[in-house]
């Protein structure tokens, strides 16, 4: 759920206590502490937890320029090396040599609409030239649609011409080169994630931070990360350019550099039923953890490992209640007990509301040790479930203020008033529940696929790994 929804829920929790309602009427805002307690789990995770989380791998497909704070970063030739392979950069220099112009056939892999990988051959024009700046010379290669687009935008590539060239770094027998493109190559992302999964199988856990791709004009290059356990591979698909709101505005990459595929040599399963999408947010973190599954040792993924941890447990709610009670009792607040209970309930409401989604939480550590999956009623950003929850909490507040006021401003029975106020939420949740049945069926089918170890074992038997 969104932060606003959690905050409103905490306020609603406070209104169930007549003493706190009386304080609010008198302008005493201390009961708002319950709303702060309800927001507390996300505040701790996003303002502190994410910055102190360990990172074993940082994948930055397109480093930002230090001055402009977007990609591609303008670098000198001497700054590039083999460690930058597949990353997106810009280099400014003079064309010092035209090595070759020609035509050839490009062979590459692409993913069709059914998710199947196929090999494609396509004729293309190409050019290889040398670009020189004050620090050195680098080979630049342009081919296919990228070559055509580059010359349309920047003019013909000619000897002695000063040019700003952007593309991804690649490595061949002659060393590093720059391949003209408008995005990094997804192969680098796929290979690093595959390596992290294999390392987790040996060491127990690895955590990967994946940075997003921010471009000029406050737009972003979207890409998807597919973990495919039965095929024992990681696929990364480079997508379109999108706005901060996630609206695609074009800029699809050519098929020949759209997909990167890396094989994984250890058994792994996927616990989240969708590909990971990276675009306008800061980029996710994924933990890969060694675990037992159906009697087998596998690697499991955990999306945002620093989120939905101890802060999102009922245990934390109890601790918050104790701390609130102790502090406000110490300063002499007359309703410290009611405030502590409201704060605890507010935090519990946050946990319950998040449990309606996909990720789930470890609800009662240290008694419980693992995450209990969510109810899958809707995603955290679902407008339907957020609206229904927030409306219900506002209805509770109106209902409580009415029944704790004498004489009552709305002189009807409590149950009638609550029903009149809450009917939009009831309808909203009913729609969400109906939708969730179909969603659960689809997710069940996906999870059967994502947790299929038999295909992996068959590959081991025939030497496919």
């Amino acid at each position: 759920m969104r932060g606003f929804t959690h905050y409103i829920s905490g306020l609603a929790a406070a209104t169930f206590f007549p003493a706190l309602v009386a304080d609010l009427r008198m302008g005493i805002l201390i009961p708002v502490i319950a709303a702060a307690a309800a927001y507390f789990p996300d505040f701790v995770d996003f303002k502190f937890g994410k910055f102190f989380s360990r990172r074993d791998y940082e994948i930055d497909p397109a480093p930002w320029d230090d001055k402009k704070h977007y990609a591609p970063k303008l670098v000198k030739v001497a700054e590039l090396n083999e460690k930058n392979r597949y990353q997106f950069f810009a280099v400014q220099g003079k064309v010092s040599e035209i090595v070759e112009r020609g035509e050839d056939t490009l062979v590459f892999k692409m993913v069709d609409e059914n998710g199947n990988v196929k090999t494609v051959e396509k004729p293309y024009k190409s050019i290889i030239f040398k670009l020189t700046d004050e620090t050195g010379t680098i080979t630049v290669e342009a081919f296919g649609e990228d070559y055509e687009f580059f010359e349309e935008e920047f003019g013909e590539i000619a000897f002695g011409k000063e040019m700003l060239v952007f593309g991804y770094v690649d490595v061949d027998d002659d060393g590093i080169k720059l391949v003209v493109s408008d995005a990094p190559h997804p192969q680098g992302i796929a290979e690093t994630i595959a390596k992290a999964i294999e390392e987790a199988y040996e060491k127990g856990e690895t955590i990967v931070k994946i940075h997003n791709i921010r471009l000029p004009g406050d737009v972003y290059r979207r890409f998807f990360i597919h973990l495919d356990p039965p095929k024992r591979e990681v696929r990364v698909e480079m997508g379109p350019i999108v706005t901060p709101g996630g609206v695609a505005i074009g800029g699809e990459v050519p098929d020949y550099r759209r997909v990167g595929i890396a094989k994984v040599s250890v058994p792994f399963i996927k616990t989240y039923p969708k590909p990971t999408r990276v675009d306008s947010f800061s980029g996710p973190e994924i933990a890969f953890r060694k675990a037992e599954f159906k009697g087998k040792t596998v690697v499991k993924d955990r999306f945002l490992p620093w989120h939905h941890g101890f802060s999102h447990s009922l245990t934390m709610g109890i601790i918050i209640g104790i701390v609130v009670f102790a502090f406000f009792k110490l300063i002499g607040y007359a309703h410290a007990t009611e405030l502590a209970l409201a704060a605890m309930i507010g935090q519990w409401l946050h946990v319950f509301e998040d449990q309606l989604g996909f990720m789930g939480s470890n609800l009662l550590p240290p008694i419980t040790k693992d995450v209990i999956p969510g109810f899958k009623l809707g995603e955290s950003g679902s407008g339907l479930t957020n609206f229904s929850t927030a409306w219900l909490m506002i209805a509770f507040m109106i209902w409580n203020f009415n029944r704790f006021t004498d004489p009552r401003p709305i002189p009807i029975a409590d149950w009638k008033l609550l029903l009149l106020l809450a009917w939009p939420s009831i309808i909203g949740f009913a729609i969400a529940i109906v939708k969730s049945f179909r969603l659960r069926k689809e997710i069940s089918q996906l999870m059967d696929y994502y947790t299929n170890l038999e295909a992996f074992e068959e590959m081991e038997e025939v030497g496919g790994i």
Side-chain angles (χ1 to χ4, degrees):
M1 294 282 180
R2 297 298 189 187
F4 174 78
T5 305
H6 296 313
Y7 189 85
I8 290 293
S9 299
L11 285 177
T15 65
F16 278 88
F17 297 88
L20 300 183
V21 172
D23 282 351
L24 288 170
R25 277 207 194 91
M26 293 187 293
I28 300 171
L29 298 181
I30 290 177
V32 176
I33 290 294
Y39 182 69
F40 178 80
D42 283 351
F43 177 80
V44 169
D45 285 359
F46 285 95
K47 299 300 182 183
F48 298 98
K50 68 182 293 185
F51 298 107
F52 291 99
S53 174
R54 188 187 87 247
R55 297 172 180 176
D56 300 299
Y57 290 91
E58 287 212 36
I59 300 174
D60 193 356
W64 288 7
D65 189 89
D66 296 333
K67 295 180 180 179
K68 298 179 180 178
H69 301 291
Y70 56 70
K73 181 179 182 180
L74 181 62
V75 297
K76 301 296 184 183
V77 170
E79 296 178 56
L80 298 176
N81 56 59
E82 293 183 0
K83 293 181 180 179
N84 300 123
R85 190 176 191 185
Y86 301 124
Q87 286 183 303
F88 187 46
F89 289 103
V91 178
Q92 186 157 9
K94 184 177 290 187
V95 179
S96 56
E97 180 185 355
I98 303 294
V99 178
E100 181 184 340
R101 293 181 189 266
E103 296 184 9
D104 206 339
T105 300
L106 184 66
V107 180
F108 59 93
K109 292 182 178 180
M110 63 176 292
V111 179
D112 63 21
E113 61 275 6
N114 297 318
N116 299 315
V117 178
K118 60 181 182 180
T119 301
V120 178
E121 295 185 6
K122 196 172 185 179
Y124 70 96
K125 294 182 179 180
S126 66
I127 184 172
I128 300 174
F129 62 95
K130 302 283 188 179
L131 191 71
T132 301
D133 67 9
E134 63 270 25
T135 68
T137 299
I138 189 170
T139 299
V140 181
E141 182 178 352
F143 54 83
E145 296 172 40
D146 294 311
Y147 179 24
E148 295 171 5
F149 173 79
F150 187 84
E151 288 208 328
E152 285 176 6
E153 291 293 318
F154 302 102
E156 183 182 0
I157 300 170
F159 174 78
K161 188 173 183 178
E162 188 78 22
M163 305 195 80
L164 175 66
V165 179
F166 44 85
Y168 65 86
V169 178
D170 205 351
V171 180
D172 59 18
D173 295 338
D174 297 323
I176 65 169
K177 63 181 179 180
L178 191 67
V179 181
V180 172
S181 70
D182 60 358
H185 199 292
Q187 186 63 29
I189 305 170
E191 289 180 1
T192 305
I193 293 174
K195 182 180 178 182
I197 294 172
E198 292 173 351
E199 188 173 305
Y201 192 81
E202 299 298 326
K203 296 183 177 180
E205 181 184 70
T206 55
I207 298 176
V208 180
K209 167 66 178 178
I210 306 162
H211 292 275
N212 65 353
I213 303 170
R214 186 182 184 189
L215 301 173
D218 197 25
V219 294
Y220 300 81
R221 171 72 68 182
R222 174 180 290 164
F223 60 96
F224 296 90
I225 300 167
H226 303 260
L227 302 181
D228 196 332
K231 293 181 180 178
R232 43 91 163 142
E233 68 184 22
V234 177
R235 292 196 311 276
V236 178
E237 183 177 352
M238 204 58 64
I241 295 172
V242 300
T243 66
V247 178
I249 56 174
E252 294 280 0
V253 301
D255 290 336
Y256 52 79
R257 57 177 173 85
R258 179 171 295 166
V259 178
I261 300 173
K263 292 295 184 180
V264 181
S265 62
V266 300
F268 68 100
I269 61 172
K270 183 171 171 56
T271 59
Y272 191 72
K274 291 185 177 182
T276 300
R277 186 182 75 186
V278 184
D279 45 34
S280 58
F281 288 102
S282 62
E285 289 171 53
I286 304 174
F288 296 104
R289 294 169 178 165
K290 191 175 183 179
E292 294 298 316
F293 180 77
K294 296 182 179 179
K296 304 287 185 181
T297 301
V298 301
V299 174
K300 295 171 64 176
D301 65 324
R302 171 64 176 167
F303 186 70
L304 300 182
W306 44 264
H307 192 34
H308 281 218
F310 187 78
S311 65
H312 284 68
S313 68
L314 302 180
T315 308
M316 175 57 81
I318 296 171
I319 293 172
I320 287 174
I322 293 171
V323 171
V324 168
F325 174 79
F327 177 78
F328 284 94
K329 193 71 173 177
L330 183 65
I331 66 173
Y333 180 55
H335 305 130
T337 301
E338 291 90 338
L339 182 62
L341 289 171
M344 181 179 70
I345 293 169
Q347 195 273 351
W348 284 357
L349 283 171
H350 183 132
V351 175
F352 175 75
E353 288 162 1
D354 280 1
Q355 202 67 22
L356 297 178
F358 287 85
M359 288 183 65
S361 301
N362 184 4
L363 295 180
L364 203 61
I367 298 173
T368 55
K369 303 295 183 183
D370 205 355
V371 170
I372 297 174
F375 301 143
K376 301 176 180 63
L377 202 62
E379 297 187 35
S380 62
S382 165
L384 182 61
T385 53
N386 274 275
F387 168 80
S388 300
T389 303
W391 186 283
L392 180 62
M393 295 303 157
I394 293 171
F396 278 140
M397 285 190 277
I398 297 172
W399 183 64
N400 284 328
F401 269 97
N402 185 71
R403 68 195 185 101
F404 294 145
T405 301
D406 190 21
R408 296 189 176 190
I410 308 174
I412 61 175
D414 288 341
W415 69 271
K416 287 184 179 179
L417 177 59
L418 185 58
L419 189 61
L420 285 171
L421 291 170
W423 68 264
S425 292
I426 295 171
I427 293 174
F429 281 122
I431 294 171
I433 290 170
V434 170
K435 286 184 174 181
S436 74
F437 286 121
R438 185 178 66 180
L439 183 63
R440 285 168 181 266
K441 183 178 180 180
E442 293 173 355
I443 290 173
S444 177
Q445 293 171 346
L446 284 171
M447 294 313 296
D448 286 343
Y449 178 83
Y450 284 135
T451 58
N452 180 10
L453 295 177
E454 294 179 3
F456 191 94
E457 290 166 355
E458 289 172 4
M459 290 179 182
E460 283 185 316
E461 290 173 4
V462 299
I465 296 178

